[in-house]
Amino acid sequence: MQARKTLRRMLAVSLTAVLTAAVFTACSGSKGESAGSGKEENVTLSVWTQRSGEGAAVLEKVARQFEAENPGIKIDFNAPGNEYENMLKIKMSSDEMPDIWSTHGWAVGKYSDRLADLSGEPWVSRLIPSLKDQVTDKDGRVLAMTIDSDTSALAYNVELFEKYNLEVPKTMDELLALCEKVKTESGGKVTPIHIGGGDSWPIGQAVDYFSTTLLTTDASHNYGEDLKGGTFDWEQYKPLGEFFKTLQEKGYVNKDILTAKNDDTAKAIANNEALIAVTGFGIKDMAQQYNPGVKIGFFPIPSFYETDEPVLIGGETDAWGIWKNTKHMEAAKKFVAYYADPEINKQICEDTSIRSAFADVNADLGDMTPYYEAAKDARIEPYFDRVYFPSGMWDSMSKYGQMLFTDGYSVDQYVKDMGDDYKRLMSK
């Protein structure tokens, strides 16, 4: 009997010690954690990125560094590549999201009902305002942390630009004149604009770029509210279709536009066979794999109107959002905040040659710096489809954009098809 009483006293003392330790653990925090966080140990966070190749490797390197500094947290890092969105759709259908995933421009438009509100995190006040706006919903919730600024524009071969004594075009008419000059003076050996339309998305990218300066950036031709409200007059879209038809009819794009891949664009740029790519700065690394010495620059998207100015297209390349139902919220916030650390963020941006999303981080972007400087006063506009088109229009932009480069497909039919899909998706 006495032994049993002694055992009960020992258990009571042990339980009290465990509970006391738990209270102190919950109330204390470790250095570098996000606001209001507690310490979590023996946690595994699933982290997904849409990036592949070197971009994914840079992000994973930081994840492993985080692991080393936080031994109680393990990172299950995933980079599915081309299957990223399809795999996320499966996750969404089962309501079992990764703890953290890259919102790839769709924090507000696609994932808002699944994301945690991060507006109380310390790094929020450091974000560049235009990027913060893109991840903030109408209720003021900040739904993702942008790591970097995907400032995108038209990339070009610097050597060819200098060889033909070209000037940066400010309007679409000037861009067409530039194309004619290159085609004529090169004797047809240099393709003014190369598009890997066989991948479909490069044409969609071109549609996205040029829709911006056609429909939203000029004060006298701003149809943004009509587009968002479902009242847009699709006759106003004809100039875009006519522009693409002109590129084909004048021989300003590659003849194999419907079969060429984006990799073919990189090869053509690298071999001085093409001047301009419409797929952003990613073409630089691809082209330099074929010709390490090729120099790539960029210039803003020209305007359709003399009264307007060229713009850059911007959003996040990489942005972490946290699943609102994660079982490890504090650990997830700590992981996300790690990428906002000024020194770590600077290294990420320098490794990927992309500007930081944070106003207080000045990364050395190497040979791209002069072009960023030249375009520093240009407005940064969001990707068109993310703001002005309903979800699902990207497929329409790519598909009907491809069809514009086929015989027998008219601009009128293009406008009708785009308008029909827009109305169908708006009604969902």
Side-chain angles (χ1 to χ4, degrees):
M1 177 70 81
Q2 183 64 33
R4 291 181 180 177
K5 289 181 179 178
T6 301
L7 178 59
R8 282 198 291 268
R9 283 198 298 269
M10 290 174 64
L11 289 172
V13 171
S14 297
L15 181 58
T16 300
V18 169
L19 290 174
T20 301
V23 169
F24 277 108
T25 298
C27 292
S28 64
S30 62
K31 185 178 180 181
E33 291 183 1
S34 62
S37 66
K39 187 175 181 180
E40 292 190 61
E41 294 184 350
N42 301 320
V43 165
T44 297
L45 295 173
S46 59
V47 178
W48 285 35
T49 177
Q50 91 284 6
R51 290 277 231 151
S52 58
E54 185 61 27
V58 169
L59 296 177
E60 184 172 8
K61 178 182 176 182
V62 175
R64 300 306 167 212
Q65 184 177 325
F66 173 85
E67 272 185 330
E69 295 180 18
N70 298 273
I73 304 175
K74 299 298 181 185
I75 304 301
D76 179 17
F77 194 91
N78 295 276
N82 291 335
E83 290 301 309
Y84 182 75
E85 290 194 63
N86 289 333
M87 292 176 71
L88 271 187
K89 287 178 182 177
I90 294 172
K91 289 282 189 181
M92 291 169 69
S93 66
S94 62
D95 199 26
E96 284 293 332
M97 301 299 289
D99 295 299
I100 299 161
W101 75 94
S102 176
T103 55
H104 59 106
W106 290 99
V108 175
K110 187 182 293 185
Y111 303 122
S112 61
D113 61 341
R114 290 174 169 82
L115 289 167
D117 179 12
L118 303 177
S119 58
E121 294 302 292
W123 45 260
V124 171
S125 63
R126 298 169 43 225
L127 285 172
I128 293 172
S130 62
L131 293 175
K132 178 186 173 184
D133 290 345
Q134 292 186 37
V135 295
T136 303
D137 70 5
K138 59 182 174 55
D139 296 320
R141 296 186 306 149
V142 176
L143 299 175
M145 189 204 74
T146 53
I147 298 171
D148 43 33
S149 172
D150 178 18
T151 307
S152 196
L154 301 182
Y156 66 90
N157 179 307
V158 173
E159 181 180 340
L160 291 176
F161 210 79
E162 294 174 349
K163 178 179 179 178
Y164 295 107
N165 195 29
L166 302 173
E167 295 183 3
V168 171
K170 293 185 176 181
T171 66
M172 297 299 274
D173 286 342
E174 290 179 5
L175 177 61
L176 291 174
L178 178 151
C179 290
E180 180 62 33
K181 178 178 173 67
V182 171
K183 176 188 170 185
T184 300
E185 294 186 10
S186 72
K189 294 181 179 180
V190 175
T191 300
I193 298 175
H194 197 287
I195 303 176
D199 283 332
S200 82
W201 70 265
I203 290 182
Q205 187 77 74
V207 171
D208 205 81
Y209 280 167
F210 298 126
S211 292
T212 298
T213 57
L214 173 66
L215 300 178
T216 63
T217 59
D218 183 67
S220 300
H221 303 85
N222 187 338
Y223 304 100
E225 292 305 313
D226 293 344
L227 285 159
K228 289 189 285 186
T231 60
F232 177 63
D233 176 7
W234 280 88
E235 286 296 304
Q236 306 298 331
Y237 210 56
K238 278 188 176 181
L240 185 62
E242 292 165 351
F243 169 73
F244 284 120
K245 283 292 189 183
T246 298
L247 292 182
Q248 183 184 36
E249 292 165 0
K250 296 283 189 179
Y252 296 159
V253 292
N254 44 306
K255 294 179 180 178
D256 62 348
I257 186 172
L258 294 178
T259 56
K261 304 294 187 180
N262 194 47
D263 190 62
D264 295 313
T265 298
K267 289 179 184 177
I269 294 283
N271 295 328
N272 288 351
E273 296 170 353
L275 177 68
I276 294 171
V278 297
T279 48
F281 305 160
I283 206 71
K284 174 178 177 285
D285 291 339
M286 295 176 65
Q288 289 178 343
Q289 289 179 3
Y290 295 105
N291 177 8
V294 68
K295 293 182 179 180
I296 305 298
F298 70 86
F299 57 80
I301 311 300
S303 174
F304 273 83
Y305 311 102
E306 294 284 349
T307 52
D308 198 10
E309 294 291 334
V311 301
L312 297 172
I313 305 300
E316 79 278 3
T317 300
D318 304 293
W320 294 136
I322 300 175
W323 185 30
K324 68 179 183 181
N325 294 327
T326 179
K327 296 178 181 178
H328 309 296
M329 182 62 73
E330 301 309 328
K333 286 183 176 180
K334 187 172 185 178
F335 176 82
V336 168
Y338 193 77
Y339 284 74
D341 177 88
E343 287 303 314
I344 291 170
N345 188 268
K346 181 174 184 287
Q347 190 60 57
I348 292 171
C349 293
E350 290 180 350
D351 287 346
T352 55
S353 297
I354 301 176
R355 286 199 296 187
S356 174
F358 294 95
D360 58 352
V361 175
N362 295 310
D364 180 359
L365 303 179
D367 55 6
M368 296 298 283
T369 300
Y371 306 103
Y372 280 112
E373 282 296 313
K376 65 182 180 181
D377 295 327
R379 289 169 294 165
I380 300 178
E381 295 290 325
Y383 282 93
F384 188 86
D385 66 302
R386 297 177 183 177
V387 177
Y388 300 108
F389 277 164
S391 179
M393 276 296 286
W394 178 262
D395 290 341
S396 305
M397 294 162 66
S398 300
K399 177 174 68 175
Y400 299 130
Q402 284 179 310
M403 292 178 68
L404 273 172
F405 293 94
T406 63
D407 294 334
Y409 189 75
S410 68
V411 171
D412 286 339
Q413 188 63 47
Y414 171 69
V415 169
K416 180 181 185 304
D417 289 341
M418 285 288 288
D420 287 348
D421 278 14
Y422 165 85
K423 293 168 187 173
R424 173 177 57 82
L425 293 168
M426 282 291 286
S427 67
K428 283 188 175 182

